[in-house]
Amino acid sequence: MKKTLVSALTATLVVGTASTTFAAANPFSDVPTDHWAYDAVAQLARDGVIEGYGDTTFQGESAITRYEMAQMVAKAMAKQDQANAADKAMIDKLAAEFSDELNNLGVRVSNLEKKMDNVYWKGELKYDYHGQKNEGESRGSSNELTLRLEPTMTVNDHWTIETQGDITLSNLGKDPGETEDSKEFNLYHLYVSGNYGNMTYNLGKVPFWTEQGLIADDEFTGAQVIAETGKLTTQLNAGRINNETNLMSEDTGNRTSDFKDTRHGDIYSIGFTYKADPKFSFGTGYYYYKNKNLKNGMDAFKDGKTYGEDHVALWELGGTYNFNDKLSLAGVYAGNPDGNQDSDLSHAYSAQLQYGVGDEGDKGAYDVYAAYRYLGNYATFSPTWAGDGSAVYGAKGWEIGTNVTFMKNMVARLSYFDGKYISKNYNDGKDVNQVFGEVDIFF
């Protein structure tokens, strides 16, 4: 199969050849032609992270050396601030694979340089504060300190083991006797990841991310297949997901006590992302969640109407347009056409205008944004803004915020949401506002 890659061999890299040393054993060994790195670099080129795509064409039988591949990875690392989340993860994985060669080039693999045999570590320490005020009530607050560890273990040229675990201290500043559950450990991700050409196979407890994180920024246990063909990325998911505090949330008061003990349901989904060009991309998806307790285990609202179905079928459509390197507009909509509880809660959407580029590795980098969020309970599982942000689940309103890298690998985040609850059956449609603050230290 023909693999088209960027020629970084004659391009100017972030390091000069004069400073290059060759301490690693056999740095010129070939990268096997079926190695996942070929397609990873090609994808970065298609996404505009590496310029000059198409300068060189490698046939399937023409392997290049690990040293040459490391030069391409170094070029991608130099432009990591222009990459999206998926591409950044791909660059991290390439950096881990070719860390020895990158060190020979004099490139510091900043977020993956802790290496112990075939185990690579990265992580973060973060402090979060949420301060929420409902109409007619005093402001309630919560804060927590979290240590997140994300080791990646290389099995062979195709397979790795990916993990993410959090150690969290909650209710900081209170008397220890006031809370019994102030410390907890959660293993959010634990899965094996296989890369074969343009295909990625993830098995275990894997990340579950929908378009812009509107329906879900979560995880599920099962199988995930990702196929990249040109500008189109297709993702298939099948497994079990915990619905503890999300879709049909207990927070809305719409679940019976019996339902709380049977939170897991089946999830099946298909999603498509198309990157038309460096400026415009869009995505769509369909998500089917089934739990027998939805039908008989819930009183939807005060009129006694039951959900009536044992499943939820959601769909979404969204896109992002980059006017230039700093200004972007993103929008996404999700709907639940089968929802028969409350039409106001059966859809969700977000529109966000952002200026600036956040980059934790670049001191002085920043972004500011203004957004309108509408987070209907019956059209989302766990929207990202209701966790890592100030938006309130089940409410609608305006959110403004900023992210500032005040020192390298140290980021301060601040946002404010002002709105009201969507349903008059829950909290009587009262006004609500929330402040969110975070300090994030990456390593």
Side-chain angles (χ1 to χ4, degrees), residues 270-335:
I270 182 170
F272 303 94
T273 302
Y274 186 79
K275 187 153 190 175
D277 54 51
K279 285 192 171 184
F280 178 63
S281 64
F282 65 90
T284 186
Y286 176 82
Y287 307 88
Y288 182 89
Y289 172 76
K290 184 174 182 178
N291 188 322
K292 62 182 181 180
N293 296 281
L294 288 176
K295 187 170 185 178
N296 299 317
M298 183 190 306
D299 289 331
F301 288 109
K302 296 176 182 178
D303 60 4
K305 184 191 301 181
T306 59
Y307 188 78
E309 300 288 347
D310 64 356
H311 66 273
V312 178
L314 308 177
W315 64 274
E316 67 176 354
L317 178 65
T320 300
Y321 185 81
N322 300 302
F323 296 95
N324 52 46
D325 291 342
K326 291 187 176 181
L327 184 64
S328 65
L329 178 64
V332 59
Y333 178 91

Side-chain angles (χ1 to χ4, degrees), residues 48-96:
V49 178
I50 307 176
E51 296 178 353
Y53 177 57
D55 290 350
T56 299
T57 299
F58 293 90
Q59 302 297 329
E61 66 275 6
S62 302
I64 65 174
T65 68
R66 291 182 65 86
Y67 183 71
E68 292 169 333
M69 184 66 78
Q71 289 180 292
M72 299 183 195
V73 177
K75 192 173 179 70
M77 292 171 65
K79 300 188 67 177
Q80 194 165 4
D81 60 337
Q82 300 180 20
N84 57 35
D87 286 343
K88 285 182 179 179
M90 191 178 295
I91 293 171
D92 286 347
K93 199 168 185 178
L94 286 165

Side-chain angles (χ1 to χ4, degrees), residues 154-168:
T154 300
V155 179
N156 53 43
D157 286 342
H158 294 286
W159 290 89
T160 59
I161 298 174
E162 311 283 342
T163 61
Q164 177 186 300
D166 286 7
I167 302 171
T168 302

